Amino acid sequence: MTYRDDEEAVAIANDTPFGLHGYVYGEDLDRARAVADRIQAGRVMINQFFDDPTSPFGGFKMSGFGREFGVHGLNAYLEAKTVFAA
């Protein structure tokens, strides 16, 4: 797909009911990061495919519920409790 500018590229990327992964390719890393920040996806790769099991995995919108892996994945199994004692 072609696009006129970053605004349109982000609009195209986000015009879906899903949001598991997104990919941004570009020579200007600051610009690519700015675009990646605006994409509604659980993971966005810039100029590569990379996986790290310690980083959270999960999607936005209809692409998942909650997160797996890393600290965020463990939080789903934990329940906070505070005990005060005198």
Side-chain angles (χ1 to χ4, degrees):
M1 292 183 116
T2 60
Y3 53 90
R4 285 173 271 161
D5 54 24
D6 293 352
E7 293 294 323
E8 186 177 16
V10 171
I12 291 168
N14 290 335
D15 185 27
T16 175
F18 305 103
L20 187 59
H21 281 270
Y23 301 90
V24 177
Y25 293 94
E27 293 180 9
D28 182 339
L29 286 182
D30 290 332
R31 180 179 174 196
R33 284 188 186 108
V35 170
D37 286 344
R38 297 173 54 207
I39 293 178
Q40 299 167 352
R43 285 185 169 184
V44 180
M45 312 290 180
I46 299 176
N47 293 335
Q48 65 179 341
F49 180 82
F50 183 78
D51 191 24
D52 178 0
T54 64
S55 62
F57 175 80
F60 288 15
K61 306 177 199 177
M62 294 180 68
S63 286
F65 179 75
R67 293 290 177 264
E68 299 175 14
F69 308 138
V71 174
H72 294 283
L74 292 174
N75 285 337
Y77 298 98
L78 303 176
E79 189 166 339
K81 178 177 181 177
T82 303
V83 177
F84 295 97

